[in-house]
């Protein structure tokens, strides 16, 4: 019989047994088309022509099949039909025997062996045939089932190779658990779930379960409060997406994302989205909303504050610091900015020269190969959208300074002939120029306090109460580095520092909110003699006029009732005047974490304790929302660019929140799957994508770790993290 004809008959027989035929009435056979028939839907009573795939598309409301979805089939009936279809597809797969390419372990005794190939079979490369003993028939091999284990290894390896999975995926604990479960249970005839079941039934089941597991975290919001964090992104189909996350002491929870296509994204649209999210999580639990520093976000924040006076809009500290670094390291010329441009333009020139060096080395395979032979660290391709991108590039370049010098004076470099000899000579001159490296080192030194604060703030850690003090300390440290370089005393003037100081103060003025001042005032450490005497001119928060004014504004909004406000003011007076504490309590103000101190000693000030336990748990940046776009980009990549926004949102919800739950388990920090998700999402993205801070910071600031993370193929394959 003709194989093609046999295949068609099998397909026709299978379609006739399909479950959804019972929901339509078959009419006469269509005059044209192999398996097409005329049929009438039993629900909407409309007539159509087509095969079973069109019946399924009509009833299950599947798009892009050229048939109208049935308007009379409700969700309950549709779900029932979907279950029947999933069961039918699964049973059909069980009956099918896929004809796969043979494995390295295929032999006359293995399931995939084709008897037609037996005439050409030779001894097995992995198990040489012993005299009198068949392959896999020795008692020891039968006891441990070595042949099946070897075949399973090959099947798993082929899955990785054929799907392009990174080797890092083998560390995923859920993958390991799945294989172990299947191996240790008798599941004869089991067929894994198919395409439709994975993206519908199982996805919704997992999402519902994750939501149930998140309740324990959400229950802490009543006492500890939360911050709503938001950020915008454009997916591969150029659709503007806005995501919302709720972050608290227990970590950031992905709430939802909104497709802003065809929407005019003004302050009213953004504010309405925030108000809906606030309503979903409970406005009484929300302490603040954090966004970037865009004017439309600030205006939207004002609308939310007007609706809920106790909720504050806070600009992201990381965005603020990044803008300050850009103003310093890449100044733009204008009449108003002429002085800053004249003082800081040399930094931009050094940055351009460093970029020239990096591009010249990395855009040619031969030059890159020579560099790689001299340096264990790589030159990172840092996108301009990345926070502190200029500093990151200069920092890495300075780390490989000696390697670059060894390279340009080497025989390989000198003997290498490239068309553009002038550029090669320019690169060599920069690298061997001590004065040029002195400039690079100076830039890194005086920007280090800014960069370090950016790193500290660019986390989900509860550091809202530290922001005010961090800004003051950071500005003082910047001044110290500049004055030391210029050889000046504190009382002398420095035009360059004046420019840098003005930029930082201007950004801090826009960033500082009453909430920062109140949180600063509730940190017990800032009332101790040790802290006050650390820096000349420091005063306790209640003696600082600016902080006191902003704190009182904040308390007025949180406690609109005059009687409640009077009570909390009395408690604050007792707290800062030290009247209700003994010597041990005062000593622990310095030693204890602020949260621990308030939990231990704050019961005598109940209103202030409740307020402190909320404010001291809050972050100061929108970093979790930024990093979430790397997850979104991973899920909604070019390979999956037709996925619907709703399904992408469900996948991101499961992906992000499952990782949050996983990281809270002790197994995350030990064993074979230790930190299994670091870098795991980003195997097909270069450094510089949104939110790739976990890996980037590790490889940037801990170069001794990079060789074990990036270079060691036992941990992360070289396709996992793109370096140059």
């Amino acid at each position: 019989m003709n194989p093609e004809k046999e295949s068609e008959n099998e397909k026709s027989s299978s379609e006739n047994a399909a479950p959804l035929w019972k929901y339509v009435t078959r009419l006469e056979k269509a005059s044209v088309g192999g398996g097409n028939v005329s049929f009438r839907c039993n629900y909407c009573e409309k007539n159509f022509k087509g095969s079973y795939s069109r019946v399924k598309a009509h009833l299950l409301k599947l798009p892009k099949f050229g048939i109208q979805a049935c308007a009379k089939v409700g969700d309950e009936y549709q779900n029932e039909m979907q279950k029947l279809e999933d069961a039918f597809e699964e049973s059909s797969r069980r009956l099918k025997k896929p004809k796969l390419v043979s494995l390295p372990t295929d032999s006359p005794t293995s399931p995939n062996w084709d008897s037609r190939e037996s005439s050409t079979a030779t001894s097995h490369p992995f198990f040489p045939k012993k005299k009198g003993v068949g392959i896999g028939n020795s008692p020891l091999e039968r006891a441990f089932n070595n042949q099946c284990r070897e075949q399973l290894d090959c099947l798993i390896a082929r899955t990785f190779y054929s799907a392009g999975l990174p080797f890092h995926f083998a560390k995923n604990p859920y993958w390991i658990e799945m294989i172990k479960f299947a191996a240790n249970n008798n599941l004869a005839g089991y067929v894994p779930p198919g395409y439709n079941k994975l993206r519908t039934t199982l996805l919704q089941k997992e999402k519902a379960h994750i939501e149930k597991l998140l309740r324990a975290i959400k229950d802490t919001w009543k006492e500890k409060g939360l911050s709503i964090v938001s950020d915008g992104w454009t997916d591969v189909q150029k659709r503007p997406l806005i995501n919302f996350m709720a972050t608290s002491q227990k970590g950031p929870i992905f709430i939802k994302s909104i497709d802003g296509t065809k929407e005019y994204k003004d302050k009213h649209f953004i504010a309405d989205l925030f108000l809906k999210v606030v309503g979903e999580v409970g406005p009484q639990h929300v302490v603040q909303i954090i966004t970037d520093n865009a004017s439309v976000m600030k205006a939207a924040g004002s609308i939310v504050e007007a609706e809920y006076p106790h909720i504050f809009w806070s600009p992201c500290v990381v965005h603020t610091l990044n803008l300050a670094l850009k103003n310093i390291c890449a100044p733009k010329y204008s009449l108003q900015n002429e002085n800053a441009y004249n003082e800081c333009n040399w930094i931009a020139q050094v940055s351009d020269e460093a970029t020239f060096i990096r591009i010249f080395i990395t855009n040619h395979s031969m030059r890159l190969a020579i560099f790689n032979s001299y340096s264990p660290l790589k030159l990172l391709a840092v996108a301009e959208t990345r926070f502190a991108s200029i500093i990151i590039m200069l920092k890495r370049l300075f780390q490989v300074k000696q390697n670059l010098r060894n390279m340009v004076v080497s025989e390989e470099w000198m003997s290498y002939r490239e068309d553009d000899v002038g550029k090669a000579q320019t690169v060599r001159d920069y690298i061997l120029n001590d004065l040029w490296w002195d400039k690079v080192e100076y830039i890194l030194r005086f920007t280090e306090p800014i960069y370090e604060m950016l790193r500290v703030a660019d986390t989900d850690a509860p550091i809202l109460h530290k922001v005010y003090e961090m800004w003051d300390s950071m500005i003082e440290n910047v001044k110290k580095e500049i004055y030391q370089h210029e050889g000046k005393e504190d009382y002398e003037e420095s035009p360059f520092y004046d420019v840098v100081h003005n930029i930082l103060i201007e950004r801090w003025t826009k960033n500082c909110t009453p909430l920062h001042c109140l949180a600063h005032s509730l940190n017990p450490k800032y009332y101790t003699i040790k802290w006050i005497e650390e820096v000349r001119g420091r005063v306790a928060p209640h003696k600082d006029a600016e902080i006191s004014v902003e704190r009182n504004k904040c308390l007025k909004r949180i406690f609109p009732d005059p009687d409640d406000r009077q009570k909390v003011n009395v408690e604050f007076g007792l707290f800062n005047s030290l009247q209700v504490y003994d010597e041990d309590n005062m000593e622990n103000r310095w030693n204890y974490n602020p949260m621990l101190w308030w939990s231990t000693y704050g019961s005598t000030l109940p209103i202030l304790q409740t307020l402190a336990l909320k404010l001291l748990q809050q972050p100061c940046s929108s970093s979790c929302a930024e990093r979430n776009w790397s997850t979104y980009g991973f899920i909604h990549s070019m390979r999956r660019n037709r996925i619907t926004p709703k399904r992408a949102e469900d996948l991101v919800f499961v992906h992000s929140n499952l990782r949050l739950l996983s990281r809270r388990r002790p197994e995350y920090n030990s064993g074979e799957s230790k930190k299994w998700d670091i870098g795991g999402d980003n195997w097909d993205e270069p450094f510089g994508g949104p939110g790739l801070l976990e890996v980037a910071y590790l490889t940037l600031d801990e170069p001794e770790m990079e060789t074990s993370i990036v270079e060691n193929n036992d941990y992360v394959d070289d396709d996992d993290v793109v370096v140059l």
Side-chain angles (χ1 to χ4, degrees):
M1 187 175 181
N2 188 336
E4 293 183 1
K5 190 70 174 176
E6 182 180 358
S7 176
E8 288 180 7
N9 290 339
E10 290 178 359
K11 181 178 179 182
S12 176
S13 176
S14 174
E15 285 201 357
N16 288 333
L20 301 188
W21 280 119
K22 65 181 181 180
Y23 297 108
V24 301
T25 301
R26 297 195 218 195
L27 306 177
E28 77 281 356
K29 174 87 172 181
S31 59
V32 180
N36 288 352
V37 297
S38 295
F39 63 89
R40 177 184 296 119
C41 175
N42 294 344
Y43 289 91
C44 64
E45 298 184 347
K46 293 183 179 179
N47 294 346
F48 302 96
K49 284 185 180 181
S51 62
Y52 178 71
S53 62
R54 286 168 63 83
V55 174
K56 182 169 63 174
H58 174 66
L59 294 173
L60 298 182
K61 304 179 181 180
L62 303 178
K64 301 179 182 178
F65 277 85
I67 190 169
Q68 181 183 2
C70 184
K72 297 295 183 66
V73 174
D75 292 341
E76 182 179 353
Y77 291 112
Q78 185 181 347
N79 291 337
E80 186 65 29
M81 293 177 189
Q82 184 68 62
K83 291 179 181 178
L84 291 173
E85 180 62 23
D86 290 343
F88 172 71
E89 290 184 359
E90 189 167 331
S91 63
S92 299
R93 284 194 301 275
R94 288 197 185 101
L95 298 174
K96 293 180 180 178
K97 295 182 179 179
K99 298 179 180 179
L100 304 176
V101 178
S102 62
L103 293 168
T105 54
D106 282 352
S107 67
T109 59
S110 66
N112 280 354
W113 176 262
D114 189 338
S115 60
R116 291 171 294 180
E117 298 176 1
S118 60
S119 60
T120 59
T122 60
S123 62
H124 197 279
F126 295 108
F127 303 107
K129 189 173 182 179
K130 298 180 181 179
K131 184 177 180 180
V133 181
I135 298 174
N137 291 329
S138 72
L140 186 62
E141 288 176 332
R142 286 200 303 271
F144 289 97
N145 210 357
N146 283 346
Q147 186 171 338
C148 287
R149 292 173 184 269
E150 180 68 23
Q151 184 170 346
L152 182 58
D153 284 348
C154 292
L155 284 168
I156 290 173
R158 178 165 290 177
T159 300
F160 274 70
Y161 308 150
S162 61
L165 296 174
F167 299 137
H168 183 90
F169 179 73
K171 295 171 63 67
N172 189 308
Y174 301 106
W175 158 260
I176 298 172
E177 186 67 19
M178 178 266 291
I179 294 295
K180 287 181 177 179
F181 183 87
N184 295 327
N185 290 273
N186 184 11
L187 301 173
Y190 172 77
V191 176
Y195 168 80
N196 282 325
K197 192 172 182 180
L198 278 172
R199 70 194 188 106
T200 55
T201 310
L202 289 178
L203 177 59
Q204 294 307 314
K205 185 177 181 180
E206 178 74 349
K207 182 183 177 184
H209 183 63
I210 294 295
E211 287 176 335
K212 191 180 299 182
L213 295 177
L214 292 173
R215 288 176 188 170
I217 296 178
K218 293 180 179 180
D219 288 343
T220 66
W221 291 351
K222 181 178 180 180
E223 180 182 356
K224 304 299 177 64
L226 74 141
S227 298
I228 295 177
V229 180
S230 179
D231 190 49
W233 184 63
T234 303
D235 68 6
V236 293
Q237 292 192 20
K238 305 301 180 183
R239 289 179 295 209
L241 303 177
I242 305 171
N243 72 348
F244 295 89
M245 304 189 74
T247 181
S248 63
Q249 178 196 24
K250 299 296 185 180
I253 294 177
F254 176 79
I255 301 295
K256 61 165 39 169
S257 66
I258 303 296
D259 182 3
T261 305
K262 297 182 180 179
E263 298 286 352
Y264 182 63
K265 289 168 280 298
D266 60 0
K267 62 180 181 180
H268 299 291
F269 173 72
I270 302 296
D272 286 343
L273 296 180
F274 270 116
L275 291 173
K276 289 178 182 177
V277 174
V278 168
E280 291 177 16
V281 301
Q284 69 276 15
H285 306 321
V286 181
V287 175
Q288 61 178 341
I289 58 174
I290 307 177
T291 70
D292 60 32
N293 300 33
S295 57
V296 67
M297 290 296 184
K298 183 176 181 179
S302 299
I303 296 176
V304 175
E305 289 180 331
E307 183 72 19
Y308 298 106
H310 70 281
I311 298 177
F312 294 80
W313 172 77
S314 299
C316 174
V317 172
V318 177
H319 279 86
T320 302
L321 291 169
N322 189 56
L323 291 172
L325 279 174
K326 283 187 175 181
N327 293 151
I328 294 170
C329 298
K332 295 182 178 180
Y333 179 80
S334 67
L335 291 178
Q336 296 81 4
N337 198 46
E338 185 175 6
N339 186 38
Y341 180 84
N342 292 335
E343 290 292 337
C344 298
N345 190 48
W346 65 274
I347 303 175
Q349 292 177 0
V350 172
S351 173
D352 291 341
E353 291 160 357
T355 302
F356 176 79
I357 293 172
R358 181 184 63 80
I359 292 175
F360 183 78
I361 293 173
T362 58
N363 72 349
H364 194 284
S365 59
M366 182 62 72
R367 294 191 291 263
L368 184 58
I370 296 173
F371 170 77
N372 289 339
S373 67
Y374 281 89
S375 175
L377 298 178
K378 308 300 180 183
L379 294 177
L380 302 180
V382 185
E384 291 185 5
T385 54
R386 176 69 191 281
F387 293 137
S389 57
I390 294 175
I391 304 303
I392 290 174
M393 179 185 63
L394 292 178
K395 196 177 183 74
R396 173 47 58 90
L397 208 65
F398 193 75
Q399 287 172 343
V400 297
K401 170 185 173 181
Q402 191 56 49
N403 304 114
L404 289 169
R405 288 190 159 186
N406 294 338
M407 177 189 71
V408 297
V409 298
S410 67
E411 184 177 343
E412 297 98 318
W413 185 269
M414 299 300 291
S415 61
Y416 172 66
R417 291 291 179 266
E418 209 267 334
D419 293 341
D420 200 335
V421 179
K423 288 185 179 179
Q425 184 60 43
T426 302
V427 168
R428 188 174 187 274
D429 291 342
Y430 285 141
I431 292 175
L432 296 179
N433 188 335
D434 288 335
L435 294 177
W436 189 82
W437 285 111
D438 288 343
K439 292 180 181 179
V440 173
E441 184 178 13
Y442 178 40
I443 294 171
L444 294 177
R445 279 213 326 271
F446 86 79
T447 59
E448 182 68 13
I450 308 173
Y451 178 69
E452 282 302 313
M453 181 179 172
L454 188 150
R455 284 197 63 198
V456 172
D458 199 11
T459 65
D460 307 321
I463 59 171
L464 179 70
H465 57 286
K466 297 181 180 180
V467 172
Y468 199 99
E469 191 267 337
M470 287 168 63
W471 268 99
D472 284 348
S473 299
M474 178 265 290
I475 292 174
E476 286 297 321
N477 290 331
V478 169
K479 179 180 180 180
K480 179 180 177 181
E481 291 294 341
I482 293 177
Y483 271 62
Q484 182 178 342
H485 178 80
E486 295 181 352
K488 294 184 176 181
E489 299 295 334
D490 284 348
Y491 59 84
E492 295 183 277
E493 289 190 4
S494 167
F496 177 64
Y497 171 71
D498 289 343
V499 168
V500 173
H501 178 264
N502 290 338
I503 291 173
L504 294 175
I505 291 296
E506 181 182 2
R507 289 296 174 186
W508 167 231
T509 302
K510 292 180 179 179
N511 177 261
C512 182
T513 68
L515 199 64
H516 290 115
C517 296
L518 178 57
H520 176 83
S521 299
L522 293 176
N523 191 339
K525 179 180 179 180
Y526 298 153
Y527 296 87
T528 61
I529 298 299
K530 291 182 181 180
W531 182 81
I532 293 172
E533 292 181 349
E534 268 187 346
V535 177
R536 186 178 62 185
R538 263 186 183 171
V539 295
H542 67 291
K543 294 184 178 180
D544 187 301
E546 177 187 352
I547 293 176
S548 297
V549 169
E550 296 301 312
R551 180 187 65 248
N552 290 331
K553 287 181 182 177
C554 200
L555 291 174
K556 189 173 183 179
R557 286 176 53 180
I558 297 174
F559 301 98
D561 183 83
D563 293 335
D564 292 339
R565 193 160 61 252
Q566 179 66 24
K567 292 177 183 178
V568 77
N569 284 332
V570 170
E571 289 191 4
F572 184 77
L574 294 173
F575 167 66
N576 63 53
S577 64
L578 320 178
Q579 294 181 13
V580 294
Y581 302 105
D582 56 32
E583 292 183 3
D584 289 341
N585 298 350
M586 286 306 303
E587 181 66 22
N588 288 333
R589 285 194 176 204
W590 174 264
N591 297 326
Y592 277 21
N593 173 280
M595 281 296 301
L596 178 60
W597 189 92
W598 276 104
S599 298
T600 306
Y601 302 116
S603 58
T604 56
L605 308 171
I607 301 177
L608 210 59
Q609 182 191 48
T610 301
L611 182 61
L613 291 178
K614 280 191 174 183
L615 292 188
L616 299 179
Q617 299 278 13
Q618 305 308 315
C620 67
S621 73
S622 58
S623 298
C624 61
E626 290 274 353
R627 279 192 290 275
N628 195 57
W629 291 129
S630 65
T631 300
Y632 234 110
F634 162 61
I635 287 175
H636 204 181
S637 63
M638 289 300 294
R639 297 179 183 180
R640 307 169 79 177
N641 62 354
R642 295 182 67 183
I643 194 170
T644 63
K646 181 65 176 88
R647 185 159 288 127
E649 179 185 351
D650 291 343
L651 284 168
V652 171
F653 179 91
V654 171
H655 185 92
S656 300
N657 294 329
L658 183 60
R659 290 192 167 199
L660 168 64
L661 295 168
S662 299
R663 290 175 179 179
R664 298 180 65 225
R665 301 181 64 83
E667 296 85 356
Y668 179 76
N669 294 310
S670 62
E672 182 182 353
S673 296
K674 177 180 179 181
K675 300 188 184 298
W676 56 272
D677 56 338
I678 291 185
D681 283 354
N682 310 308
W683 61 75
D684 58 353
E685 291 187 15
F687 274 114
L692 306 187
L693 297 179
E694 289 172 308
V695 177
Y697 281 154
L698 184 64
T699 57
L700 175 67
D701 294 320
E702 287 80 24
E704 68 278 4
M705 290 290 290
E706 182 173 333
T707 54
S708 64
I709 297 297
V710 177
E711 295 297 313
N712 185 351
N713 285 335
D714 290 337
Y715 187 89
V716 178
D717 183 65
D718 53 2
D719 291 332
D720 295 347
V721 182
V722 177
V723 288
L724 300 173

